[in-house]
Amino acid sequence: MTKAIPELLEAVKELARQIAKTTNKSYATHFKQIVKVLPPEVPDLYAWLAALDDSAIEELAQRLRKVEGSPRPHFTAAVKKARAIALQQRTLAEMPTTFAEALRWAMERNGVSISQLAKQAGVSYATVHRWLRGCFPRSQTLVTALERALELSEGALSGRLPRWGLPKIGAEGKSSPYPRFTQTFLRVAALARYGRPWNDLSPNEKEALRSEDEDRWNRVSNRQKRVRKAIKKRFRLPFDEWSLQARKEWEEYERYASSAPGSAARVQAALAGTPLAPTTVRKETLKRERKLIELFYGYCHKERGLDSNALSLALLTDLELVHSYLTWRVNRYEDVPPVTRSEYIFIALVKKLHRGYLRALALGVDPNGVKELERKLKIAGIDVTDGYHAVEPLLETPEPLRWVIEGIRLMLRDAAGRVGDLLAPQIPTAKSEAAEATALYRDVVLFWLMAAHPLRAKHYYGARLDMNEFQDGDFTPGRGHVGRASGGYYLAYRKVEFKNARSQVFQSLQDQDLVTFPLDDPEHPVLVLDLDGTQYSLNELFHVYLHTILPRLAQALGRTGPLLPLFPGADTERGIKRIFYSRSAYVAAVPNVPRGLLPFGPHSIRHVVATDIVKQTGSFEVAANVLLDSIDMVTKHYARFAPRDRYSHGWRVYARARGGER
């Protein structure tokens, strides 16, 4: 009997297991006896078996008969089965790594044309052609048919498919209010919950996912009901449709409101006697104010029939007109609480203008009359549907942030399925596949960043990379928002770039002082994630994103300049919201996630983080510190935390502080 080394014995056992799996256990038992007749030195069992011919196998059978003293009838067939497996292994080793190249290689090896393979697989010529160009089949069952047609072992082609990178679902979800959300949800939930692509699910499994998705659209807030009614009859008059006189008047108001204290423009205006606002109004605030006036002018022009040349801020001094506008707004709705923050914000703007700009223009202002209108609105009661409505199901759970993190893990798996190693990505050659892969890599980094640093959306869609500073080693942000020190990246924003820059939170800083947010802090709980036994850090992914993904996105989308958008394609408010509405489907696809989650925007991440922090710590102050906001603002807008839960949490904290004393 030949004395085999342990590695060789393990290889025999592994081959026996494969034989038992594909044929029967009897063959596996017979094959194990090969250790009795192995040559003295077999460095590679698979290579040795692959080189055997039938006569050599018969010779082994005869040798085994002499050793055991009796024939072993199934030994020859078992060794031939092992040889077939070894040949398949050699074939797999020779095959190219990508699906498209492996398919082409197998077709050329077997002399099969596109037309022949299409006929054998039951698909069209165009479908096979797309596969050879880099697109992926949507069904593993179909790939198994390809393997049989090309005489390949099971897994030869399917093993080269990115399990988490299968393409979008065809026409499924087209009737959904958010088709991209629904298509992503169905595709990812099929893989996350059943372990198979959508096309391979049973009818009952497909129906279960469809039903779950359809149910979510029945959860409509009062705000959404009002919006649906309002968009049926739009009345806003866009700024570019205003008369020249009205546009000039508004631009004068912007100069009045936006000049920064101490600036040369403000000094010159003050010396010239031009009216100036006592405090600077942010550009974002001016944009919101203009939208309110666009709606008011739309009512005056389209509903009241005023000539466009008559539109002027002076109309706001006609309180009967203002009253009729508010009355008209609330009368548009039925069976829905009509007074919202929109009406209240509008009347607040009117009050502000009466006390400031309109008074400075010596118009007939009536602050007390406006205040009375405001009082009536308050008495009526304002329906406030907070921004957390979309993520309400998550906020009701003990750990809201957990679901977002799990959604990010699904995004990481999907991205890995498209580019391979996340830290050394291989971008697909097909143009459409490359675009989707780079966009998904961008979005998972963006999603992860916002979960780790829940800043406002503008800090991300407005973020820039200073290309004059950017380098492989450490660098400073320059005029951008990204820096690197000691190998760790960080985001950096000036005080003036925060919405509440004038609040007590930032009172110790100068306008251009930086506030930094590190991506490699070892004490931060969300900067490192475990993914199927492998740990990924946001800092590492961010490095790959800056050097590999960002340049491709910038080139494809035509973004240029020394201040390059940090997230091309997500560098506008509308763009980043569209991305979040689509990618939030990954959170909805997490197994056992609370049902009813709706597509949510970036601001909802602040709600989730704040609520999670308050639920874990019982402290609004801790949540306020993370959001860089006041405790009052967090209590009012973000951390929706039931009083009874805070009460119980308070006693638990007290008990821990006492060390369990009674």
Side-chain angles (χ1 to χ4, degrees):
M1 176 176 175
T2 303
K3 185 177 180 181
I5 59 176
E7 292 82 359
L8 198 57
L9 290 174
E10 184 56 39
V12 169
K13 291 179 181 179
E14 174 58 29
L15 262 172
R17 283 193 288 267
Q18 294 184 50
I19 292 171
K21 184 178 179 181
T22 57
T23 54
N24 57 59
K25 293 182 179 179
S26 175
Y27 273 38
T29 302
H30 282 268
F31 173 72
K32 288 180 181 178
Q33 308 312 310
I34 199 172
V35 297
K36 299 176 181 179
V37 292
L38 280 174
E41 294 183 3
V42 176
D44 186 333
L45 179 65
Y46 285 82
W48 176 74
L49 284 169
L52 293 178
D53 56 22
D54 289 350
S55 61
I57 293 176
E58 288 295 339
E59 184 180 340
L60 284 174
Q62 293 299 324
R63 289 176 57 190
L64 181 61
R65 180 177 182 178
K66 291 180 180 179
V67 170
E68 295 185 334
S70 61
R72 186 174 285 272
H74 298 302
F75 177 75
T76 300
V79 175
K80 288 182 178 180
K81 181 63 180 176
R83 180 181 63 181
I85 293 174
L87 288 170
Q88 290 173 352
Q89 291 286 350
R90 188 170 69 181
T91 298
L92 288 175
E94 294 173 352
M95 287 178 71
T97 56
T98 66
F99 176 82
E101 292 172 348
L103 179 61
R104 188 182 302 279
W105 177 89
M107 290 172 63
E108 291 175 352
R109 187 193 68 162
N110 286 46
V112 176
S113 67
I114 294 179
S115 299
Q116 291 171 328
L117 183 60
K119 184 176 181 180
Q120 293 176 13
V123 297
S124 68
Y125 180 98
T127 298
V128 177
H129 186 63
R130 284 197 299 271
W131 295 340
L132 293 171
R133 290 177 55 200
C135 296
F136 299 129
R138 294 176 180 168
S139 166
Q140 286 183 331
T141 303
L142 185 57
V143 178
T144 300
L146 289 178
E147 290 169 344
R148 287 198 297 266
L150 294 171
E151 299 179 1
L152 296 172
S153 61
E154 184 178 347
L157 290 175
S158 60
R160 285 160 171 75
L161 273 177
R163 176 173 177 262
W164 286 93
L166 294 172
K168 296 178 183 178
I169 293 173
E172 291 285 347
K174 289 293 186 181
S175 60
S176 165
Y178 291 86
R180 292 187 65 185
F181 176 96
T182 294
Q183 290 177 330
T184 301
F185 166 75
L186 295 177
R187 176 177 64 82
V188 178
L191 292 162
R193 302 183 188 184
Y194 299 108
R196 301 191 303 280
W198 170 263
N199 283 8
D200 291 340
L201 297 186
S202 69
N204 288 341
E205 290 168 338
K206 288 183 177 180
E207 182 56 33
L209 293 181
R210 286 197 196 98
S211 177
E212 179 180 340
D213 186 67
E214 290 169 0
D215 287 347
R216 82 176 78 251
W217 310 116
N218 296 323
R219 196 173 68 83
V220 183
S221 68
N222 287 332
R223 174 188 289 182
Q224 291 168 322
K225 292 176 183 177
R226 285 190 293 266
V227 168
R228 291 180 182 183
K229 289 178 178 290
I231 62 178
K232 290 181 180 179
K233 187 177 181 181
R234 302 178 186 274
F235 65 95
R236 170 174 159 264
L237 188 67
F239 181 73
D240 57 5
E241 295 181 20
W242 293 7
S243 66
L244 180 61
Q245 179 182 350
R247 292 201 299 271
K248 286 183 176 180
E249 181 189 46
W250 181 259
E251 290 167 355
E252 289 174 0
Y253 166 68
E254 288 185 333
R255 284 191 289 271
Y256 158 87
S258 62
S259 59
S263 65
R266 188 175 179 88
V267 171
Q268 292 172 2
L271 293 176
T274 303
L276 293 170
T279 58
T280 302
V281 179
R282 298 167 58 249
K283 290 183 179 180
E284 289 79 4
T285 302
L286 287 171
K287 288 180 181 179
R288 288 196 295 269
E289 290 180 349
R290 195 177 79 179
K291 288 182 179 178
L292 293 172
I293 300 301
E294 286 177 337
L295 292 170
F296 176 66
Y297 282 176
Y299 165 76
C300 294
H301 180 59
K302 298 179 181 180
E303 298 295 327
R304 295 294 295 267
L306 270 67
D307 188 274
S308 60
N309 292 320
L311 299 178
S312 167
L313 292 177
L315 293 174
L316 294 174
T317 62
D318 183 349
L319 295 190
E320 288 188 8
L321 179 63
V322 172
H323 186 278
S324 70
Y325 171 56
L326 292 172
T327 302
W328 177 81
R329 281 183 64 103
V330 300
N331 285 339
R332 291 178 302 158
Y333 309 113
E334 297 176 2
D335 303 324
V336 182
V339 182
T340 69
R341 287 178 57 85
S342 297
E343 283 75 32
Y344 187 74
I345 292 172
F346 171 73
I347 204 65
L349 173 61
V350 175
K351 182 173 69 173
K352 168 187 169 181
L353 292 173
H354 272 247
R355 290 179 173 178
Y357 187 62
L358 298 180
R359 182 189 295 275
L361 296 181
L363 296 175
V365 297
D366 184 3
N368 291 330
V370 178
K371 190 174 182 180
E372 177 63 18
L373 273 176
E374 185 180 46
R375 185 185 69 83
K376 291 178 179 178
L377 285 178
K378 287 183 177 179
I379 292 175
I382 298 173
D383 177 61
V384 180
T385 304
D386 290 323
Y388 55 67
H389 173 73
V391 292
E392 181 83 10
L394 305 186
L395 302 186
E396 295 291 344
T397 66
E399 300 177 84
L401 185 57
R402 168 202 162 193
W403 303 107
V404 174
I405 297 302
E406 290 302 317
I408 292 172
R409 284 195 173 96
L410 291 187
M411 292 178 71
L412 287 168
R413 290 190 182 100
D414 199 351
R418 297 172 189 276
V419 301
D421 186 349
L422 290 170
L423 301 182
Q426 298 295 315
I427 308 301
T429 54
K431 187 175 180 180
S432 60
E433 298 294 330
E436 177 59 26
T438 52
L440 181 58
Y441 204 109
R442 173 200 64 200
D443 297 346
V444 69
V445 169
L446 178 57
F447 229 94
W448 194 353
L449 274 171
M450 288 207 72
H453 295 300
L455 304 173
R456 289 181 169 86
K458 73 165 190 174
H459 290 115
Y460 289 100
Y461 71 73
R464 297 293 183 267
L465 178 65
D466 191 336
M467 299 305 294
N468 292 329
E469 299 285 342
F470 178 51
Q471 54 184 293
D472 288 337
D474 294 348
F475 61 92
T476 58
R479 293 185 298 144
H481 301 93
V482 180
R484 191 184 189 196
S486 301
Y489 290 96
Y490 60 90
L491 301 179
Y493 298 93
R494 290 94 194 145
K495 170 187 172 179
V496 295
E497 294 178 300
F498 290 87
K499 178 182 179 180
N500 55 335
R502 302 302 173 191
S503 70
Q504 292 184 348
V505 175
F506 299 95
Q507 64 180 353
S508 64
L509 300 179
Q510 299 298 315
D511 282 353
Q512 296 303 315
D513 285 351
L514 291 176
V515 182
T516 59
F517 303 90
L519 305 190
D520 67 339
D521 184 352
E523 296 184 358
H524 194 297
V526 193
L527 293 181
V528 176
L529 293 180
D530 180 83
L531 184 66
D532 303 327
T534 301
Q535 281 198 333
Y536 290 96
S537 75
L538 179 55
N539 192 69
E540 290 175 324
L541 253 68
F542 193 72
H543 177 81
V544 175
Y545 172 76
L546 290 183
H547 288 79
T548 305
I549 307 299
L550 175 56
R552 291 184 66 112
L553 283 170
Q555 182 180 16
L557 298 174
R559 304 298 198 267
T560 59
L563 284 178
L564 195 64
L566 183 57
F567 298 105
D571 49 333
T572 64
E573 183 176 11
R574 183 177 180 182
I576 197 172
K577 285 183 177 180
R578 184 175 63 249
I579 286 169
F580 266 78
Y581 288 149
S582 173
R583 302 300 190 189
S584 56
Y586 287 86
V587 182
V590 171
N592 302 314
V593 72
R595 292 172 73 104
L597 183 69
L598 293 167
F600 59 81
H603 194 71
S604 291
I605 298 294
R606 287 172 67 86
H607 292 292
V608 171
V609 172
T611 304
D612 196 281
I613 290 174
V614 174
K615 286 196 171 191
Q616 305 312 316
T617 66
S619 170
F620 285 130
E621 182 179 3
V622 174
N625 290 341
V626 170
L627 298 188
L628 292 177
D629 222 327
S630 68
I631 296 176
D632 289 342
M633 287 294 289
V634 168
T635 305
K636 182 177 180 181
H637 294 290
Y638 297 113
R640 185 174 177 271
F641 197 29
R644 62 181 180 276
D645 296 332
R646 292 187 65 209
Y647 178 81
S648 300
H649 196 286
W651 279 113
R652 288 195 296 272
V653 172
Y654 175 66
R656 287 197 296 268
R658 293 185 60 186
E661 295 180 5
R662 293 184 177 274

